[in-house]
Amino acid sequence: MKKQDNQSITAPYGNMPAAAPDSAPRSALVTGASRGIGRAIAQALAREGYRLYLTCRHSEKELTELSYRLSETYNIACTPMIADMGDIHAVNKVFAQITDLTLLVNNAGVSHIGLLHEMTAEEWQSLMNINLNALFYTCRLAIPLMLKRHAGQIINISSVWGNVGASMEVAYSASKGGVNAFTKALAKELAPSGIQVNAIACGVIDTDMNRCFSEEELSAIRAEIPADRFGQPEEVANMLLSIVNAPSYLTGQVITVDGAWTT
């Protein structure tokens, strides 16, 4: 695997299956795909026959193994790329590998728990780069590819904290609130071009992002959720597939998946 600055790209695993005569092959870019929600989304899209481009920042071994397994299991082409999506230069290099795109899934994200006045400016900027600026970096390059077909979908993975805010997670809440506003505004801009833009606002999903909490803290959070459990990454992936397969009139929506936690 050849290293290029803060990014590495492999040749795609597998081959692109032939499309039906009257249909174009579907392709998707999923950011933050090495684990958790992004991994589940990649698996779900592979089952649907998508040609995949997958990114993550650090977990090169996990991402390449996932890409190889998906290509072998579902007979799809899958390109793993190590890239910091909060770095515009890295995003430009990712899109240099993509000539056609049906679906963009902005999933990469990080959290920060702590008092706002104890957060450094560098920590704030790093979080915003990954959680919010990355949407600008990816969408500005994905949109021209979708305009060629006068069709496409952008789905942003957000959080309920973008709707209601959370103490000790001000930066994260602000970034996800920005994701929600970005989603609604861009949907209005792209609707005349046949491109749908939606977001999924997740509640507590059982992923590594929540490993910072103790068992006692997790139990207390679980007790607040009417569904009496945490969501699974596969449930978010299934919701994403529902949005992908929904009528084209569904756009500009932030759909909450949280077990009635913030209802």
Side-chain angles (χ1 to χ4, degrees):
M1 185 175 291
K2 184 179 179 182
K3 297 288 184 180
Q4 298 181 342
D5 302 324
N6 62 343
Q7 180 193 50
S8 63
I9 301 172
T10 73
Y13 293 109
N15 298 308
M16 191 66 203
D22 295 326
S23 67
R26 297 176 298 174
S27 57
L29 168 61
V30 182
T31 69
S34 64
R35 59 183 181 173
I37 293 171
R39 186 183 185 92
I41 289 171
Q43 291 171 328
L45 293 174
R47 286 194 298 270
E48 294 289 308
Y50 277 79
R51 188 263 188 264
L52 295 178
Y53 301 91
L54 307 179
T55 78
C56 73
R57 273 201 303 173
H58 302 303
S59 305
E60 184 172 355
K61 181 175 183 289
E62 290 84 350
L63 189 68
T64 53
E65 288 178 350
L66 173 65
S67 298
Y68 178 76
R69 182 171 60 80
L70 294 180
S71 68
E72 290 293 298
T73 302
Y74 300 106
N75 190 32
I76 61 163
C78 189
T79 302
M81 295 179 271
I82 305 303
D84 179 357
M85 303 309 287
D87 178 344
I88 190 170
H89 301 295
V91 175
N92 288 342
K93 290 179 180 179
V94 166
F95 274 86
Q97 308 299 313
I98 303 173
T99 58
D100 186 75
L101 196 64
T102 308
L103 170 64
L104 168 63
V105 181
N106 284 307
N107 169 72
V110 295
S111 64
H112 180 94
I113 298 175
L115 297 170
L116 182 67
H117 71 273
E118 294 179 350
M119 187 178 194
T120 67
E122 291 75 16
E123 289 172 329
W124 173 278
Q125 191 59 57
S126 177
L127 183 147
M128 289 297 170
N129 283 342
I130 296 170
N131 289 7
L132 184 56
N133 292 352
L135 273 67
F136 166 62
Y137 301 154
T138 58
C139 288
R140 65 186 286 271
L141 296 174
I143 290 167
L145 298 175
M146 296 178 180
L147 287 174
K148 292 190 300 184
R149 290 187 178 181
H150 202 76
Q153 295 193 50
I154 298 169
I155 301 179
N156 302 315
I157 304 303
S158 187
S159 166
V160 294
W161 289 156
N163 298 333
V164 300
S167 173
M168 302 287 287
E169 295 190 59
V170 174
Y172 183 76
S173 300
S175 71
K176 293 303 185 179
V179 169
N180 295 348
F182 182 101
T183 298
K184 294 176 182 180
L186 187 59
K188 293 179 178 180
E189 186 172 312
L190 295 179
S193 299
I195 299 170
Q196 299 160 256
V197 187
N198 292 291
I200 301 173
C202 300
V204 184
I205 308 300
D206 189 12
T207 68
D208 289 344
M209 187 176 282
N210 298 313
R211 299 294 181 260
C212 60
F213 297 110
S214 67
E215 283 300 320
E216 183 178 0
E217 290 170 328
L218 289 172
S219 295
I221 295 170
R222 187 181 297 110
E224 297 175 356
I225 301 172
D228 195 32
R229 66 177 180 85
F230 297 152
Q232 295 300 310
E234 293 74 18
E235 293 179 292
V236 180
N238 288 338
M239 174 54 69
L240 182 136
L241 287 182
S242 296
I243 296 171
V244 166
N245 295 318
S248 61
Y249 206 57
L250 179 71
T251 190
Q253 303 305 304
V254 178
I255 299 169
T256 299
V257 179
D258 72 347
W261 186 27
T262 60
T263 300

